[in-house]
Amino acid sequence: MIHRVAQISLLFVTLVCFQAVASGVYDAATSINIAVVGKTKNDSFYQQSHKGCVHFARDYPNVACIYDGADDYQDVRTQVLIVKELIKKGVDGLLISTTDSKFLVDGALKLAAKKGIPVITFDSDLLKEHEAYRLAYVGTNNFDFGKALGEEAKRFKTEPVQYICLQSGHQTTPNLNQRIAGVRFALSGQSKTRMSGENGWIEHYRCPLFTMGRRADALDQLVTMMKYPNPPIFLAVAGFAQFNPDYITRMAQFKALIAKKNRVIISADTENTQLKALQRGLSVTNIGQKPFEMGRLGAELLYHFITQDKKPAQSHYYLDYHYCNSGNVATCTTNH
């Protein structure tokens, strides 16, 4: 009788476990593919995010991280095509940095929702009206990040009316527009329109400059501005020109002027190539983010949802940022 009860108990436990696996709670043998899609593929920022996903996957042998994105610049159509292709291949989760919210949702994320593929955004979130198409956002609070960039610019104000030039990427990109709004708010007290004298700040008539993420265009724009007799403070809301491998060579002509603060270059991000330029006196301040942690935490949230149907506890997971200058450039951050 005891042996019979033991057999029934074992059968019951086996059935419960089978039912749990069948309902998708957790199966350590099932392959899970998480795709990390940045705005551009050849960007060390997004490559760090992929490494963060891979770092998470080290403890889960059944998890694989796929990396993709538009090859050379912020191309909204290419991003949508890549995401649609990943959906058709049957990835289990998507970790995406948004270039154009509406275009991405209409072109790909509605399909992901239909197929039950969960989405986490990182670095650049969807617009508020599209948040239903992602589980959560992991990254910097981009408005606050813009304010931090703006506060840094205040240190270099030398005129009663100070001109400034903002450089961005694609005109529709949510995180970059939020950063521009944050810069304007910090300097002028408003975030809706170009600065035109509020608190002594005016945006240069040629700015904001939009690069589409093209590094050659970004560097050309910067060099042109620096050649003006009395150039504006130059503030890039992402790496852009400093990601160009020719940045150090072409900017060397301005080194003495930068040292005297006659040329001021402030940039978001602290990738290795940017730190080298800062170390050589070809920038004054870089404010950096945590792309590696964006990828790691984003993958973790997706994994828990895929395996346990556990939704993220928060809609936004904001990460902090750090300041790099010539005095702390060797220790201000760690890149992966």
Side-chain angles (χ1 to χ4, degrees):
M1 176 64 71
I2 294 174
H3 180 67
R4 179 64 173 164
V5 170
Q7 284 183 320
I8 293 172
S9 299
L10 179 61
L11 177 61
F12 175 76
V13 171
T14 302
L15 287 171
V16 168
C17 291
F18 176 78
Q19 187 177 20
V21 170
S23 63
V25 175
Y26 177 66
D27 181 1
T30 302
S31 296
I32 296 173
N33 293 308
I34 295 174
V36 181
V37 182
K39 295 177 202 162
T40 51
K41 190 175 182 179
N42 64 346
D43 191 322
S44 60
F45 184 97
Y46 299 116
Q47 289 165 2
Q48 284 202 72
S49 298
H50 175 240
K51 289 178 182 178
C53 179
V54 171
H55 179 83
F56 170 79
R58 291 193 311 180
D59 295 328
Y60 302 90
N62 61 323
V63 176
C65 298
I66 302 166
Y67 181 63
D68 215 332
D71 285 335
D72 297 314
Y73 68 99
Q74 295 173 11
D75 183 345
V76 298
R77 289 173 176 78
T78 298
Q79 185 177 60
V80 166
L81 289 172
I82 286 169
V83 174
K84 284 178 70 175
E85 187 64 26
L86 289 166
I87 292 169
K88 290 176 181 178
K89 288 180 179 178
V91 294
D92 301 287
L94 291 162
L95 188 57
I96 303 175
S97 178
T98 306
T99 300
D100 184 300
S101 185
K102 187 178 188 307
F103 202 79
L104 180 61
V105 167
D106 289 344
L109 297 193
K110 286 181 179 179
L111 178 61
K114 185 177 180 180
K115 292 185 174 293
I117 299 172
V119 175
I120 297 281
T121 54
F122 76 102
D123 174 52
S124 181
D125 199 3
L126 297 174
L127 294 175
K128 192 169 184 63
E129 59 264 33
H130 300 141
E131 287 183 359
Y133 291 94
R134 55 80 162 155
L135 292 172
Y137 165 75
V138 178
T140 307
N141 181 321
N142 286 291
F143 185 80
D144 287 352
F145 191 52
K147 287 198 298 182
L149 289 163
E151 289 295 332
E152 190 64 19
K154 288 181 181 179
R155 299 200 303 114
F156 302 97
K157 189 176 187 291
T158 58
E159 304 292 336
V161 177
Q162 180 71 57
Y163 282 82
I164 188 168
C165 179
L166 307 182
Q167 186 183 55
S168 188
H170 197 284
Q171 294 186 46
T172 64
T173 301
N175 69 325
L176 302 182
N177 288 339
Q178 289 162 6
R179 291 177 194 178
I180 289 174
V183 171
R184 288 172 174 165
F185 184 82
L187 298 180
S188 69
Q190 61 82 36
S191 60
K192 302 297 184 183
T193 60
R194 298 173 77 255
M195 293 174 279
S196 57
E198 304 93 338
N199 297 336
W201 289 91
I202 296 179
E203 289 183 53
H204 192 276
Y205 75 94
R206 292 190 62 180
C207 307
L209 300 170
F210 293 97
T211 68
M212 298 288 287
R214 293 186 174 99
R215 299 173 184 183
D217 291 350
L219 185 53
D220 286 344
Q221 290 172 356
L222 173 57
V223 170
T224 297
M225 282 299 190
M226 292 298 100
K227 285 183 176 179
Y228 282 12
N230 297 296
I233 291 173
F234 192 91
L235 193 158
V237 297
F240 305 131
Q242 293 183 345
F243 291 155
N244 191 311
D246 295 327
Y247 180 90
I248 289 175
T249 301
R250 292 188 62 191
M251 291 300 293
Q253 61 187 302
F254 305 111
K255 183 173 182 177
L257 293 170
I258 294 170
K260 295 175 183 177
K261 303 300 186 287
N262 290 332
R263 300 291 186 277
V264 175
I265 303 163
I266 300 166
S267 180
D269 298 330
T270 52
E271 298 300 292
N272 285 334
T273 183
Q274 296 176 281
L275 297 180
K276 289 177 183 177
L278 184 60
Q279 196 167 31
R280 298 188 186 192
L282 301 177
S283 180
V284 297
T285 301
N286 286 71
I287 304 181
Q289 306 174 80
K290 295 187 173 180
F292 181 87
E293 179 60 11
M294 293 179 196
R296 191 208 64 77
L297 179 55
E300 179 182 322
L301 294 171
L302 281 171
Y303 178 79
H304 288 317
F305 182 80
I306 293 165
T307 60
Q308 302 170 31
D309 199 28
K310 180 181 177 182
K311 293 183 179 180
Q314 302 167 206
S315 175
H316 298 77
Y317 289 79
Y318 289 135
L319 307 177
D320 59 3
Y321 37 88
H322 50 271
Y323 295 75
C324 294
N325 53 55
S326 59
N328 70 350
V329 65
T331 59
C332 61
T333 191
T334 299
N335 287 319
H336 298 268

